[in-house]
Amino acid sequence: MDQEESSQLRLEVVAPAGRVFEGGVQMAVLPAVTGELGILPRHAPLVAQLSIGRLRALTVDGDWLTFAVAEGFAKVQFNKIIVLADAAEEASQIDVARVHKSIEQAKQRLEMHRSGAVPEGEDVDPYREQLALRRAYNRLKVAERPDK
Amino acid sequence: MASQRDIRRRIASVHNTRKITKAMEMVAAARLRRAQQRIEATRPYALNMLEFIGQLVNYLQVDLSLHPLLKPHAHLKKVAVIALTADRGMCGAFNANIVRRALDRVNTYAAEGVESDLVVMGRKGVSTVRFQGYKIDRAYLDVTERTAFLEAQALTNGVIRRYANESIDRVHLVFNRFKSPMEQFVTDQVILPIQEEITGQYCPADAQEHMDFLFEPDPETILADLLPSYVEITIYRAILEGMASEHGARMTAMRAASEAADEMINDLTLAMNRVRQASITQEILEVVAGADALSG
């Protein structure tokens, strides 16, 4: 596979808060619900549902980039991968201290909900807290072991 | 009449208030700019999402009106009204307008014998609605830009589940649409059933010829998951627009307050000078009278 052709594959990672990554890659590994999906240049058109997990991409410079992504979708067409994720963060950008804080907070609120000790005037949506917790754990995993 | 010292004290106090309102105005202006950028940043995601849905619908050639989130319910028995307000005040009638619009909706339905569930975001809305004696089904507080999408997903999850199993028959979203910092524009929008204009129109022409896609898993499952995502992004954008409008409203309110303070300082300074002049005149009169008495 020559450099020229491989560099034609483009990856775009888009989250609701904005575009997280856009650039040429040699290869990308997507966390599809059916298992990891490796995409090389000239892949057949594909639409995949993504689960929470880790997205990896080999840049044209030969570096591996790792992203923590939440649920979403990916489309491969015309040598372009568009990833639409509920949340996406590059491993080196993840603020571990903040992740720990959100885990702590989510746990605390779930516990309040479970024991029925929600303070007056407050409200807890357990679905929201579980979502936050799952994402935080994924971010932690990716931040600590981006290559594993 | 107030003494010189009293007036001077009042001027100093108004000065301090003005400092605060001026600072709040500037903070709101900075936040507004960031909030506007954040709205702009959601565009790639929203447009791609619409394109995705359009393509899939085209590919599957499905009758979308059969999808549980697109199918209107025959009878209205219960609706959900979501009101997006702010956690903080000092922004003019911003929160009050949204709450009034949402409660209007609830009352209109009540007159037709339709029950409403109220879902309220923001401390101000929650306390006003509770104070007026309405029951809140679920409250979301302390929403920040960072957690806004998470809240949007949680909100969506709650209403979608109940819409799909027909325990609610329509969902309204009441929020402040952001047009410009000066304009307040409260909107009441039906978000469930999903209005049909979303499908089809965002399908690019070249995509239709190359629709030989592989699907992981099957396309029906993916479409079923995309539609809730569309509702999520709609609510997410509404939250961001609400935040931008809140900052805009606060900026306007605080500017008005600063101007009022300026005016008050002017009036008070004038009053003080008048008092000062009066006392000087008084003194001169006394001195002259005293001199007259001596020479007389």
Side-chain angles (χ1 to χ4, degrees), chain A residues 5 43 49 52 70 73 84 86 89 110 133 148:
Chain A
E5 193 183 60
H43 195 284
Q49 197 176 357
I52 206 162
F73 307 92
L84 290 184
D86 290 351
E89 240 176 319
L110 276 174
L133 209 54
K148 277 273 148 57

Side-chain angles (χ1 to χ4, degrees), chain B residues 165-236:
Chain B
N165 71 20
E166 311 219 346
S167 52
I168 48 175
D169 306 304
R170 192 181 283 169
V171 179
H172 281 267
L173 181 64
V174 182
F175 68 105
N176 204 314
R177 193 175 279 293
F178 184 78
K179 290 204 146 173
S180 79
M182 303 299 153
E183 266 174 293
Q184 300 293 306
F185 196 75
V186 181
T187 329
D188 177 347
Q189 184 185 334
V190 174
I191 52 166
L192 281 177
I194 294 175
Q195 309 296 296
E196 298 212 17
E197 76 267 7
I198 65 152
T199 52
Q201 66 180 358
Y202 284 92
C203 191
D206 62 340
Q208 290 177 10
E209 299 157 22
H210 301 271
M211 285 304 284
D212 218 2
F213 277 102
L214 301 170
F215 289 96
E216 292 276 347
D218 56 289
E220 287 79 9
T221 312
I222 294 181
L223 183 64
D225 228 61
L226 267 166
L227 289 175
S229 297
Y230 175 75
V231 181
E232 285 167 7
I233 190 77
T234 308
I235 296 182
Y236 176 62

Side-chain angles (χ1 to χ4, degrees), chain A residues 14-19 33-34 37 43-49 73-78 82 84-86 98 121-128 131-132 135, chain B residues 41-42 44-45 48-49 51-52 55 123 130 138-141 146-147 149-151 153-154 157 206 210 212-217 221-222 225-226 229 233 236:
Chain A
V14 185
R19 198 178 269 116
V33 286
T34 47
L37 267 179
H43 195 284
L46 166 96
V47 173
Q49 197 176 357
F73 307 92
K75 183 173 74 173
V76 183
Q77 198 182 14
F78 312 127
I82 297 181
L84 290 184
D86 290 351
R98 213 185 74 221
E122 302 275 322
D123 199 4
V124 175
D125 183 345
Y127 177 84
R128 180 215 177 278
L131 212 59
R135 272 181 207 170
Chain B
T42 64
Y45 185 91
N48 272 307
M49 177 67 68
E51 197 182 304
F52 249 58
Q55 277 185 322
R123 283 184 191 282
R130 285 224 174 98
R138 175 135 272 160
Y140 292 87
L141 307 170
R146 212 189 280 289
T147 62
F149 191 65
L150 202 60
E151 318 290 350
Q153 286 189 298
N157 176 270
D206 62 340
H210 301 271
D212 218 2
F213 277 102
L214 301 170
F215 289 96
E216 292 276 347
T221 312
I222 294 181
D225 228 61
L226 267 166
S229 297
I233 190 77
Y236 176 62

Side-chain angles (χ1 to χ4, degrees), chain A residues 25-90:
Chain A
V25 293
Q26 298 181 40
M27 169 186 184
V29 183
L30 314 176
V33 286
T34 47
E36 289 205 313
L37 267 179
I39 310 286
L40 288 168
R42 297 168 61 192
H43 195 284
L46 166 96
V47 173
Q49 197 176 357
L50 305 183
S51 62
I52 206 162
R54 187 185 54 178
L55 184 155
R56 302 214 297 150
L58 184 60
T59 64
V60 281
D61 306 325
D63 301 320
W64 279 102
L65 278 177
T66 309
F67 300 89
V69 295
E71 291 91 340
F73 307 92
K75 183 173 74 173
V76 183
Q77 198 182 14
F78 312 127
N79 256 336
K80 187 172 182 188
I81 310 170
I82 297 181
V83 174
L84 290 184
D86 290 351
E89 240 176 319
E90 211 263 302

